[in-house]
Structure formats: C-alpha cells, structure tokens
Amino acid sequence: MSLLTIEGLRVTYATSSGPLAAVRGVDLTLDAGEVLGLAGESGCGKSTVATSVLRLLPSSAEVSGRIELAGENVLEMTWGQLRRVRWADASMVFQGALHSLNPVQRVDRQVAEPIVLHERVSAAQARSRARALLGQVGIPESRAADYPHQLSGGQRQRVMIAMALACNPKVLIADEPTTALDVMVQAQILALLTELVRERGLGLIIISHDLSVLGTQCDRVAVMYAGKVVESGPARSVFDSARHPYSAGLSAVFPTIGQAQSRYRPEGVPGDPPDLTEQIVGCAFAPRCARASAECTATEPPLDTVGPHEVACFHPLDGTR
Ligand SMILES: Nc1ncnc2c1ncn2[C@@H]1O[C@H](COP(=O)(O)OP(=O)(O)O)[C@@H](O)[C@H]1O
Ligand code: SF4
Ligand SMILES: [Mg+2]
C-alpha cells in the first residue's frame, strides 16, 4: 500500500481577478523508501499540491479530491486529527530556513519543540533527542545550542530537516529545500535527505524547478504544468529522454545542477505559462509548443503510456535529445 495517495486533487484560490485554478486534477502516489520529484516552472502548482497534503492552504482555497495519508483522507479530517498527523505522519521542509526559524531561540530547543508537543516526554528527553537528530543531519554537538544567525545557510537548512524529522514522520515533503543555497551545499543537503529516506524507510517528495537535480536524486519524477501532471516516470529517464515537449524544454534549461538564475523564465521554454484565472481549452502548453496542431488547441490531451512514462501529449517526442 502506498504511504500517500493523491487522487483527483483540485485547488482553486479565490482572488480579486476571480477563481484561480492552481491545481486542476492531480494524481500521485508515494511508497515507503521512495523519493518522488515534483518539477515545473514557478506558478505551476507544486507548492499548492504540497501544502494540500498537510492542509496548510489559506482559507481562500477551495479543495476537492482525495489525499490518503496513513489510510485516512486528509481532506476530511477534523482539526484535532490534523494536528496529530502534522509532524507525526507527514512534515514539511520549506525554502528559506532563515525566515522559518525563531531568531531568538537556540536551535536544539526549536527541534525539541514538536517532540514535547506531540509526545509524552520531558523537556530534557526531548532536548537530548533533538541533539541526536542534529548530529544525524551533520550539526556537531558544539553548535547545537547556537542561535540560527550563528549558523550558515546550509546548517540552518539542516536544522529545518532535523525539525521535520523530530516526530518520525512517514512522509517528508521538501519544497525547494535548496534553492537559496550554493551549488555544493545543495548537493550535500539533497544527499542527506535521500540518505535519511533510505535509512528510515520514509517517503520523500522533493519539489524543485530544476529537473536536473531531481533527475539525479529521485526514483520517480512528475512534471507539472498549469496545475496538472503532464509527464511522469523513472527520474533519470524523464530527465534524459523526456517525451512531453514541456519536460524536454525544462531539462534543456538545466543541463547541470544549479543555474538558479534561469528559475523564473527558463530560456528553453519561451513564453509564459497561462493565466489560471481564465478557462483553459485544449492543451495548456499549446501556445508555447512548437509541435502544436489543431487537435491540441481543441482537445485536452489525456495522460497516456508512452514508453516508460505517462505523458499528456498528442504528439510526444521519441525520447532522443
Ligand atoms: N494564496 C494564494 N492566493 C491566490 N493565488 C495563489 C496563492 N498561492 C498560490 N497562488 C497561485 O496559484 C498558482 C500556483 O502557485 P504555487 O502552487 O505556488 O506554484 P509553484 O509552487 O509551482 O510555484 C500560481 O498561479 C500562484 O500565483
Ligand atoms: S498536446 Fe500538442 S500542444 Fe500540447 S504539448 Fe503535446 S504537441 Fe504540444
Ligand atoms: Mg512553490
């Protein structure tokens, strides 16, 4: 059985320009010990999917579909059930650890906090577990009682990972966990995350706009465009031999790890994503696609099996670069 199953997820935000369809029917599964990458340009709905899993969406969001975590539908849980699930069943590592950590509290205390809140242990026991966790993510004993500003960006992100692991979650979601870090530190943090997953048999979702990073670190990758999954498959294969023209453009943008400067407008994919407050007819990628035909603008392509991938495209590529 999967740790996490997302079926028919739709999320619409109420905005001043009208309803904005951020996620338009997404299906995903995650197994124990598996690392799933979620890729796509800024604005394609990755964070909305992630925050839906823990129901951390703002009240302006209308959600439908099914998100099954540890056998229960997250979307039907009471607040009491949700409180139990957060941290203990699933937890999240966000981008920008500097802003998420409390600047006036020592990091070992911050890591101990969810343990005290969720488990019947003394403050001293929680503190000692926090220190052990910090050790596992590479923060030495001598730095465990530092304040966040005394640590480097990479170390702060390690603290965030320790905090997310504090209550032994089964599912960990890392939303652009390394975007703010330099290339060397990025690679170390991602290696740490994937190692922890293998050791503890967790399920991990790594979100990134950088398909090359996901291609090397994940087992499977799902590429999102305009609120839908347009391609998924074995990670290396999606990166090396994309079948959807959008994924192929994304993998051309990041030939090597890093290159955060092209995050917002990948030059491999000219043009902009569609306005999600407008009704989308046909393939959402058609206005930017060199292969678009009349069929593409009239009908929405369904997800279909193409080689080892699932692809939503009427004219998929043959997988050679
Ligand atoms: N709180 C919100 N209110 C209104 N629109 C939002 C909100 N959060 C995200 N959006 C919109 O939803 C779409 C998807 O955003 P997001 O999930 O953050 O994408 P990504 O993480 O892939 O960059 C974007 O068009 C974004 O502007
Ligand atoms: S369905 Fe058509 S427009 Fe959409 S990606 Fe495929 S070829 Fe391009
Ligand atoms: Mg995001």
Side-chain angles (χ1 to χ4, degrees), residues 76-159:
E76 287 170 358
M77 284 181 189
T78 61
W79 290 110
Q81 287 173 307
L82 270 179
R83 243 195 320 273
R84 186 169 45 71
V85 160
R86 290 181 190 152
W87 301 98
D89 282 330
S91 68
M92 250 175 112
V93 179
F94 296 95
Q95 180 181 345
L98 181 57
H99 307 292
S100 318
L101 291 169
N102 181 345
V104 295
Q105 195 179 39
R106 298 179 189 279
V107 293
D108 57 350
R109 284 181 185 266
Q110 299 193 49
V111 175
E113 211 164 86
I115 304 177
V116 172
L117 276 176
H118 282 263
E119 296 174 34
R120 290 167 188 227
V121 296
S122 69
Q125 282 171 317
R127 196 81 175 274
S128 106
R129 253 174 63 191
R131 286 178 165 249
L133 275 165
L134 286 167
Q136 280 169 36
V137 300
I139 304 284
E141 187 72 31
S142 60
R143 310 302 300 272
D146 279 4
Y147 291 98
H149 74 265
Q150 294 173 290
L151 301 173
S152 69
Q155 286 173 320
R156 286 195 293 262
Q157 196 58 295
R158 287 170 190 267
V159 172

Side-chain angles (χ1 to χ4, degrees), residues 13-15 20 22 40-49 58 60 175 276:
Y13 294 106
T15 74
L20 185 152
E41 277 166 292
S42 182
C44 65
K46 307 181 297 299
S47 295
T48 302
V49 170
S60 62
D175 192 354
L276 297 173

